[in-house]
Amino acid sequence: MIKKVFTGAVVLTAAVALTASTSFAAKYKYEGGAVANGGSVSGVVSFAGKPQTIKKDLAKEKNKEFCSKHPMNEGLIRTIEKISSKDGKLAGAVVFIKDLAKGKEWKPETVKIDFKACDIVPRVFTVRKTNKGEKEGNLIITNQDTDTLHNPHGYDVAGANRKTLFNKPLPSVGAAADVTKNLKRLKKKKSKHFFLQCDQHNFMEADGRIVWNPYFQVTGADGAFSLKDVPAGKYKVVAWHPYAGEVTQEVTVAGGADAKADFSIK
């Protein structure tokens, strides 16, 4: 039986006062504005397989006594869920619309990541390229662990290749790294997968999908998603999970209607 996942939610807050429709158009080739008679895409992401976990022995790890207090620990053995599914529903899948150039407003937001109890919260999230003129407030990583050094190391991943975006030591509780400037290096044609790891505790890992428009959502335990205010048209909708895989389907959205799109990742 799989234990409950020790994760949290992405906290989104207003960041820098920028005009989304003009600023994002320049960098993302995306134009935001009012959507008249928009529709939606909704459904459920399923996983045709068993939940997958790995066991990590913390006996030789730094801060082993503190890290062993995590709720997914039994003594010094940490259970890490790589694929979390219940009743076939996949949690932690990112569903997004691919190559959409015009739609609803995309306001700059802050994604907040916590290094907490020797874990990364949340474990799956979304990342965007830093906008022109944006100096802070894109992605902030905070150490929530008392008397524990963490070292967030962020990568742009392409296949077997990893390119370092940042490497920021967080020596004590409350220490935070705003890596907004580092995310200017993301490339629209190449950047898809963002990987985050603690260099002090290598078992601490998290994954982000790099998004290029505001139509995305990370599924919860029920695997459900709903993308709203979608202009009428035909789109490629993708369901992606860092370890389960990726599925794409073509979806037609009619004005004022909800297009159903269920995904099964095998």
Side-chain angles (χ1 to χ4, degrees):
M1 180 177 179
I2 302 301
K3 296 182 180 180
K4 183 178 180 181
V5 185
F6 183 71
T7 58
V10 177
V11 180
L12 300 177
T13 59
V16 185
L18 299 173
T19 303
S21 58
T22 56
S23 299
F24 275 95
K27 282 289 183 180
Y28 287 76
K29 296 183 179 179
Y30 176 81
E31 182 179 351
V35 176
N37 195 32
S40 60
V41 181
S42 66
V44 174
V45 182
S46 300
F47 178 61
K50 296 181 179 179
Q52 294 184 15
T53 64
I54 62 173
K55 302 287 186 179
K56 177 67 177 180
D57 187 352
L58 306 187
K60 296 182 180 180
E61 299 293 330
K62 298 177 181 178
N63 311 107
K64 61 182 180 181
E65 292 183 0
F66 176 80
C67 293
S68 67
K69 297 177 182 179
H70 188 285
M72 293 295 283
N73 262 71
E74 293 183 1
L76 291 176
I77 303 301
R78 169 76 58 87
T79 298
I80 301 173
E81 291 189 322
K82 308 301 283 187
I83 301 177
S84 177
S85 66
K86 182 179 180 180
D87 299 326
K89 305 300 187 290
L90 183 62
V94 182
V95 182
F96 61 95
I97 298 178
K98 186 177 181 180
D99 300 330
L100 192 155
K102 185 176 181 179
K104 65 182 180 181
E105 290 282 2
W106 192 7
K107 297 180 180 179
E109 297 174 322
T110 300
V111 175
K112 294 185 177 181
I113 306 295
D114 288 329
F115 278 43
K116 184 177 181 180
C118 294
D119 201 354
I120 301 178
V121 182
R123 298 281 293 278
V124 180
F125 48 91
T126 60
V127 178
R128 61 175 174 83
K129 179 182 175 71
T130 295
N131 196 19
K132 184 177 181 180
E134 188 179 11
K135 297 181 180 180
E136 59 184 11
N138 184 350
L139 175 62
I140 298 175
I141 304 168
T142 304
N143 183 357
Q144 302 289 1
D145 288 340
T146 303
D147 299 326
T148 303
L149 168 65
H150 288 306
N151 200 133
H153 194 158
Y155 301 88
D156 183 356
V157 179
N161 297 318
R162 293 183 181 181
K163 180 175 69 176
T164 292
L165 297 171
F166 59 84
N167 192 338
K168 305 279 188 177
L170 301 178
S172 58
V173 63
D178 187 324
V179 296
T180 298
K181 294 182 180 179
N182 305 86
L183 298 183
K184 291 180 179 179
R185 299 171 59 191
L186 298 177
K187 306 294 183 182
K188 186 171 184 179
K189 292 184 178 181
K190 297 181 179 180
S191 300
K192 297 180 180 180
H193 183 184
F194 172 83
F195 179 68
L196 181 61
Q197 188 175 40
C198 178
D199 279 352
Q200 295 294 312
H201 313 88
N202 289 337
F203 58 91
M204 294 175 57
E205 299 178 349
D207 297 86
R209 179 72 192 207
I210 301 166
V211 294
W212 300 94
N213 64 59
Y215 295 96
F216 57 84
Q217 187 176 355
V218 181
T219 62
D222 61 358
F225 69 92
S226 180
L227 309 177
K228 302 181 183 301
D229 296 321
V230 182
K234 186 178 292 185
Y235 304 100
K236 289 183 179 180
V237 183
V238 180
W240 173 88
H241 186 279
Y243 301 101
E246 178 177 308
V247 175
T248 302
Q249 64 174 286
E250 195 169 81
V251 178
T252 299
V253 178
D258 181 51
K260 293 297 182 182
D262 292 328
F263 294 85
S264 179
I265 298 179
K266 298 181 180 180

